[in-house]
Amino acid sequence: MPRLARWLLLSALLTAIPAAAIPAAALSAAYPAAPGPQARLISVSGSAEVKVPPDEVLLSVGVESRAAGLDEARRENDKDVAKALAFLRAHGVADKDVQTDYLNIEPQYSYERDLASKLRPQFYIVRKSIGVRLAKVDAFEPVLAGLLANGVQHVHGIEFRTSQLRKHRDAARALAIRAAQDKADALARELGVRRGAVYSASESYSGGWWRGGGWGNLGGQALQNVVQQSGGNGEGGGEGGALAVGQISVNATVNATFAID
C-alpha cells in the first residue's frame, strides 16, 4: 500500500477511536503538561561580566561648509571631504573602512520684517558625515587629530569596540549559567530541598563597546575632550602614552527556572 494511503487510513482509524480509549500515559508522554499553579519551582537569575580590551574604534565625524550660494557651499564641502578622505588613505585606512553616510543642506533666512528678505536665503549650510573604522586602537588619537586638521570640524561619536563580541558573549553566558545554577543550589540547600532539572531559561546581553564624543565638539577642543573621557586603567596606546583606552565590559544575564525534586 502506498505511504500516503497508509497515512490516510491510520488517521481515519485514530479519529474513530474515542478519546477515552487512548491511555492517559500515552497522551502525557506525547504532550507533557506545563506545571500548574501548585508546581514546585525555583526561579533565579545569574549575571556575569567579562572585561576585554577594545581592538577597534568607530569614528563618526562631520564636515560643515557655509556660503552665500548653494553651489559654492557644496563645492567647499566636497573640497574639505576630499581632504579628509585623502588623509585617511595616506595613513593606511582602507577604503572599505570609510563611508560618507549623511548629507544635509540647510538654507538660513533673515529675521528682518521685510518679506522679500525672509523668502530669500542669506546663506546655505552644507553638512556631510564620515564614518571611519580603525582596526588599530593606537591609531585613534593621531587619526582624529589629523582629520580635525584636514577639513573635519565636528566629532559626532566615538566607539571603542571588540571585534570578538560573539566569543566574549559566549564566555559571559557560560559564567552566567554557572552563577544561576549555583544560586539555585544555594536556595534549594537553605530550603531543605534538591534542585531538579531546568524547566525554562532565557538570556540577554549588553556591552561590547564604549561610546564617547557628541555634537558641539569643535576643532582641537573635541580631541581634548575625547581623550580625557577615554581615560582608564589599561595601558596607553597613543603617542607618548597620552591615550588610555582601558577595557570594555561584555555582560550576560541568564534567567532560569528549575524544578524542585
Side-chain angles (χ1 to χ4, degrees), residues 2-260:
R3 182 180 300 177
L4 178 59
R6 288 201 305 269
W7 183 84
L8 292 174
L9 178 60
L10 179 60
S11 298
L13 290 173
L14 289 175
T15 304
I17 298 174
I22 302 177
L27 286 174
S28 61
Y31 303 100
Q38 304 302 319
R40 290 154 48 90
L41 301 172
I42 293 178
S43 296
V44 294
S45 64
S47 299
E49 178 185 43
V50 175
K51 290 279 195 176
V52 298
D55 61 4
E56 66 178 13
V57 185
L58 301 183
L59 298 178
S60 177
V61 297
V63 176
E64 180 178 308
S65 304
R66 302 184 180 208
L70 176 58
D71 290 340
E72 182 184 358
R74 293 185 63 178
R75 282 195 301 270
E76 288 297 322
N77 193 270
D78 290 343
K79 178 181 176 182
D80 286 341
V81 169
K83 284 174 57 180
L85 297 180
F87 167 81
L88 291 171
R89 291 192 192 97
H91 282 73
V93 181
D95 289 343
K96 66 181 179 64
D97 292 329
V98 180
Q99 182 179 22
T100 54
D101 57 3
Y102 176 80
L103 174 65
N104 172 260
I105 298 175
E106 181 180 343
Q108 296 292 304
Y109 296 92
S110 171
Y111 290 99
E112 298 178 5
R113 295 178 180 272
D114 179 30
L115 180 60
S117 298
K118 290 183 179 180
L119 296 177
R120 185 175 61 252
Q122 288 189 315
F123 60 92
Y124 291 86
I125 301 175
V126 176
R127 301 184 180 96
K128 189 172 290 184
S129 293
I130 304 173
V132 183
R133 174 186 171 273
L134 300 176
K136 296 182 179 179
V137 176
D138 57 3
F140 157 68
E141 189 174 354
V143 167
L144 181 57
L147 286 172
L148 292 169
N150 287 275
V152 168
Q153 299 93 7
H154 295 274
V155 180
H156 302 325
I158 299 156
E159 290 186 4
F160 292 87
R161 288 179 171 264
T162 172
S163 61
Q164 302 293 318
L165 184 58
R166 172 65 182 274
K167 182 181 91 171
H168 299 311
R169 278 182 171 176
D170 290 347
R173 182 182 60 234
L175 292 172
I177 290 172
R178 288 200 289 271
Q181 290 175 329
D182 292 344
K183 190 182 293 185
D185 288 338
L187 283 172
R189 222 171 18 248
E190 293 296 326
L191 294 171
V193 296
R194 188 173 64 179
R195 172 176 66 86
V198 64
Y199 172 69
S200 66
S202 62
E203 60 183 349
S204 61
Y205 302 97
S206 64
W209 59 84
W210 178 92
R211 183 177 290 113
W215 281 95
N217 293 329
L218 298 175
Q221 187 64 37
L223 177 61
Q224 181 182 9
N225 289 345
V226 170
V227 172
Q228 288 174 351
Q229 291 172 13
S230 64
N233 295 323
E235 296 182 358
E239 295 179 356
L243 177 65
V245 297
Q247 293 182 318
I248 54 180
S249 297
V250 179
N251 305 286
T253 298
V254 171
N255 298 298
T257 299
F258 299 91
I260 296 177

